[in-house]
Amino acid sequence: MNAHVCLACIEDRLATLLETAAELRCVRMTGGVPAERTVLPVPDGGPAPLIDVLSRHGVSLLVCGGIRPCWRSAVEMAGIAVLPWLSGSEADVLSALVRGRPDALAMPGCRPLSGRGGGPRRGGPCNTTDAGCLRRRRRNAGE
């Protein structure tokens, strides 16, 4: 596995929700081995500043617990893959990624991670009040 992976963490585990993460643990994986680690603060202000930080650091995969559908769409539209609805420590997550078995760390009650769905529910209305929410901006632009 060769990728620049970012884990949205609180203490030594994935945060339950991306929005509650205290830090972004970026790990450059080379041949399935962590080659370089960087810890970054989580920016305030919604998905746009988060995307900016991830892009500036060359992140190709964001691994997190829960994530709002509009945040996920925004991150994916920026070209960063999202692997949500996982739980576990940094070591457990990296090991599962290397083994190709991230589904083994799926949060209890969440659907399988394959495809665009996953999580406790699929789609639904975006009820976030974040100014940076792309889905809300698109919907409001049509009004």
Side-chain angles (χ1 to χ4, degrees), residues 49-81:
L50 174 67
I51 291 167
D52 182 54
V53 167
L54 296 176
S55 296
R56 276 190 285 122
H57 287 86
V59 171
S60 57
L61 174 64
L62 172 64
V63 181
C64 58
I67 184 172
R68 294 179 187 178
C70 55
W71 282 48
R72 181 177 181 176
S73 294
V75 172
E76 289 176 336
M77 286 175 56
I80 300 167

Side-chain angles (χ1 to χ4, degrees), residues 84-107:
W85 306 109
L86 297 182
S87 62
S89 69
E90 177 181 349
D92 290 343
V93 172
L94 294 177
S95 175
L97 289 174
V98 168
R99 290 189 331 263
R101 292 296 321 263
D103 55 321
L105 298 177
M107 296 174 96

